[in-house]
Amino acid sequence: MKGRMVKRTFRLVGIKGKGAFEEFGAIVPGVAREVMSRSGEIGPAAVTEIAIFEPKKSVDQPEGEFCVGLMVEGPARNVPLGMSYCEIEGDYATARGKMEGLNQLHTDLLSWAACNGHQMDTEKRIIEVYYPADSGEEVEIFLPMLVSRANNRSSLYS
């Protein structure tokens, strides 16, 4: 796994949902199928799938919110009925890998960030961007990080 730090803005049109964290693996793909079936309503340029997740802050938090959608280039003017436009900007630790290794990729990226002196910002959303691959699907994870503005930014970002 190759981790790196980036500053990035994400724009998407999608469907918001809520459920038990332990059921996200079943709930989120169902919402993704609904979004893909309505992709024509979002626009022809919107093809990259994205999901945004509320991080679990404690063991006492059984449920969380998420939004599954398609990335768009700019602010959406005509959001389809039942969907929302979201725009999120932040500092992220990121890595890309195979969808089958999603849980391990999350663990490895969090470990990489900690080893490089970064701490996850649990007040901001975790982002996953999905890409078709020759064999299956790949995912790029973006974990929100607390970043000291006193640091030399050129050494933090690529």
Side-chain angles (χ1 to χ4, degrees):
M1 184 216 72
K2 180 183 175 195
R4 61 189 175 106
M5 290 294 296
V6 298
K7 182 169 190 68
R8 179 107 183 247
T9 301
F10 297 92
R11 293 176 184 91
L12 69 130
V13 173
I15 298 174
K16 293 182 178 181
K18 183 177 183 175
F21 283 109
E22 62 189 32
E23 295 175 7
F24 273 14
I27 298 170
V28 172
V31 175
R33 283 189 290 280
E34 181 180 351
V35 168
M36 292 309 288
S37 73
R38 297 182 61 194
S39 63
E41 297 175 49
I42 298 170
V47 295
T48 305
E49 283 186 76
I50 183 171
I52 299 171
F53 302 95
E54 174 184 7
K56 187 171 184 172
K57 296 177 183 121
S58 73
V59 294
D60 298 332
Q61 181 187 1
E63 291 189 340
E65 296 177 350
F66 62 88
C67 183
V68 180
L70 295 172
M71 292 174 62
V72 294
E73 291 189 19
R77 296 174 197 221
N78 298 315
V79 177
L81 188 63
M83 293 189 181
S84 299
Y85 170 75
C86 297
E87 186 169 321
I88 299 171
E89 180 180 344
D91 298 296
Y92 300 93
T94 184
R96 185 168 169 167
K98 298 222 178 268
M99 192 65 184
E100 298 81 34
L102 178 64
N103 291 337
Q104 189 61 50
L105 188 59
H106 269 275
T107 301
D108 292 348
L109 182 56
L110 197 53
S111 177
W112 175 88
C115 288
N116 283 277
H118 304 290
Q119 181 180 353
M120 188 168 152
D121 185 345
T122 59
E123 297 303 314
K124 295 189 177 171
R125 303 296 191 238
I126 296 167
I127 299 169
E128 295 178 358
V129 180
Y130 309 99
Y131 304 96
D134 291 337
S135 59
E137 188 175 37
E138 288 191 352
V139 60
E140 187 170 10
I141 299 171
F142 295 85
L143 298 180
M145 293 288 138
L146 296 169
V147 175
S148 167
R149 299 295 171 208
N151 288 343
N152 178 352
R153 294 183 64 81
S154 63
S155 66
L156 288 175
Y157 298 93
S158 58

